[in-house]
Amino acid sequence: MPRSVSDYKGMKDLRNNFVKFLEIDETAAGQRLDNFLIKTLKGVPQSHIYRIVRSGEVRINGGRAQPSSHLAAGDTVRIPPLRLPERVEERRAAAPSTTCVIPVLFEDEWLLAVNKPAGLAVHGGSGVSFGAVEQLRAQRPEQRFLELVHRLDRETSGVLLLAKKRSALTGLHTAWREGAVDKRYDVLVRGRWPDAKRKVQVPLTRFLTAEGERRVRADDDGQAATTVFYRQQVWPKHEPPLSLLEAELHTGRTHQIRVHLTHLGYPLAGDDKYGDFAWNRMLAKAGLRRMFLHARKLGFAHPASGEWLDIEAPLPEALQAFLDGLSAERE
């Protein structure tokens, strides 16, 4: 954590009209700037964090920085004055009286893998005071280090990996950057998917809406993004036809699977950002009241032993029940 200010104790400090300078120590070294700010500025909406970084108000060693900039020990991060409503402090101070059960899929002295339920944010922020990582830390007060290795969208269920040691976190981040992690998702789409296997290479660009929400679109000038889709099952006589696919991520861009599918004309079932909203309402009446996107498997080399691990999360009951209600006819 920063040595000059410890976790911004209380939102009162955040509302003061002065700039803060945080010195990065070894425990925060190696983190992306956006991840560091999201963790440090608890209660500040992520859209606002990205806005002050892109505007140049947040600086590293006096220079402008990008959200993806990596911090080094000894760096000084400039934080501009932040004004937040009083109610944000109240939401942050009060943890929920009840928390959902987060099943553990794998755990050792280095790693913790859980099956995140849909509807649970991976961390607090953007109006969410208590996410999965905060719950897991509260349940393991003796665990001095517990950090997210990657993220899942709030409405995505499935395998979520956390590191219990800094060396495990940096090793896994390297594996992610080098494409050495096997990431598989189950998705249900509208339409009759024609190919047994299709490799999609469509660049993506992130942008902010007028309301400050993050969105992504296909853009020839965007960042490279590759998804491979495998056809699992098709219901051609269903109205409209449906296809169950496995998505293999070769890159990890924000909302990559969702935007690639919509770009191809096969919207993801229940997707409230990029999908078919009228169809989503029909699905809700038929019993599917969430997005059909499930992180089924992560495969990677253990950061300490080098042993290959395949960690899988079973399809949630709500998604399996919806599939069971469809005709079992195959293509």
Side-chain angles (χ1 to χ4, degrees):
M1 293 299 295
R3 287 182 291 191
S4 57
V5 178
S6 178
D7 195 26
Y8 279 116
K9 294 181 180 179
M11 300 307 291
K12 181 178 180 181
D13 285 345
L14 290 178
R15 286 189 292 270
N16 287 336
N17 285 317
F18 55 83
V19 172
K20 292 183 181 293
F21 294 91
L22 310 184
E23 184 179 352
I24 302 303
D25 64 15
E26 293 181 357
T27 63
Q31 292 189 45
R32 283 171 50 119
L33 177 61
D34 54 356
N35 293 340
F36 170 77
L37 293 174
I38 288 167
K39 179 182 177 182
T40 303
L41 304 179
K42 298 183 187 298
V44 179
Q46 290 185 33
S47 59
H48 186 66
I49 288 175
Y50 282 99
R51 190 177 300 118
I52 61 176
V53 173
R54 294 192 177 101
S55 68
E57 295 176 78
V58 174
R59 292 178 175 262
I60 300 176
N61 301 328
R64 294 178 70 102
Q66 298 298 319
S68 59
S69 298
H70 284 82
L71 299 171
D75 282 348
T76 298
V77 178
R78 177 193 186 275
I79 308 293
L82 299 172
R83 290 185 172 275
L84 297 174
E86 293 288 340
R87 293 183 65 183
V88 172
E89 180 177 4
E90 298 170 5
R91 289 199 303 270
R92 181 190 175 207
S97 57
T98 58
T99 58
C100 65
V101 176
I102 308 178
V104 173
L105 300 170
F106 174 87
E107 184 170 11
D108 64 9
E109 62 179 309
W110 299 85
L111 304 173
L112 172 65
V114 299
N115 187 3
K116 187 190 82 67
L120 177 65
V122 295
H123 55 67
S126 297
V128 178
S129 60
F130 213 66
V133 67
E134 287 83 12
Q135 288 193 31
L136 292 167
R137 286 171 181 160
Q139 294 165 7
R140 292 167 167 77
E142 74 289 348
Q143 186 68 52
R144 297 182 61 185
F145 185 92
L146 190 62
E147 296 289 345
L148 292 164
V149 174
H150 64 119
R151 301 181 190 177
L152 294 176
D153 291 343
R154 183 172 181 175
E155 297 307 321
T156 303
S157 56
V159 182
L160 180 66
L161 188 63
L162 300 95
K164 298 167 73 172
K165 295 186 179 183
R166 170 65 63 183
S167 58
L169 182 66
T170 55
L172 287 166
H173 279 172
T174 298
W176 245 264
R177 287 195 300 271
E178 294 177 350
V181 180
D182 185 15
K183 298 164 282 187
R184 307 287 178 130
Y185 291 72
D186 290 327
V187 298
L188 184 72
V189 301
R190 189 190 68 194
R192 186 170 176 171
W193 190 267
D195 309 308
K197 176 182 178 180
R198 181 189 293 192
K199 186 175 185 179
V200 179
Q201 294 178 298
V202 177
L204 303 176
T205 293
R206 292 192 297 182
F207 65 98
L208 288 176
T209 67
E211 294 76 26
E213 292 188 60
R214 286 192 301 165
R215 289 288 190 275
V216 179
R217 62 172 174 259
D219 185 346
D220 289 340
D221 296 323
Q223 291 182 305
T226 302
T227 312
V228 179
F229 293 101
Y230 301 88
R231 186 179 61 207
Q232 302 298 305
Q233 187 170 354
V234 177
W235 291 268
K237 295 183 180 180
H238 190 275
E239 183 54 44
L242 301 176
S243 299
L244 180 66
L245 311 176
E246 177 186 76
E248 176 187 3
L249 281 182
H250 287 202
T251 53
R253 308 303 179 199
T254 300
H255 301 164
Q256 177 174 318
I257 293 174
R258 302 161 69 176
V259 178
H260 273 176
L261 288 170
T262 296
H263 178 74
L264 295 173
Y266 295 87
L268 178 67
D271 186 348
D272 63 356
K273 285 185 170 66
Y274 309 100
D276 184 317
F277 306 133
W279 179 49
N280 288 344
R281 289 193 291 271
M282 293 172 56
L283 289 171
K285 292 179 180 179
L288 183 63
R289 298 179 177 86
R290 56 155 290 188
M291 184 169 63
F292 203 117
L293 180 58
H294 177 65
R296 179 172 53 81
K297 186 178 80 167
L298 275 182
F300 56 93
H302 192 284
S305 68
E307 176 187 1
W308 186 263
L309 295 177
D310 281 318
I311 300 175
E312 297 198 41
L315 198 65
E317 291 183 7
L319 301 187
Q320 187 61 58
F322 184 79
L323 294 183
D324 291 343
L326 299 173
S327 167
E329 180 183 355
R330 294 179 179 270
E331 184 90 71

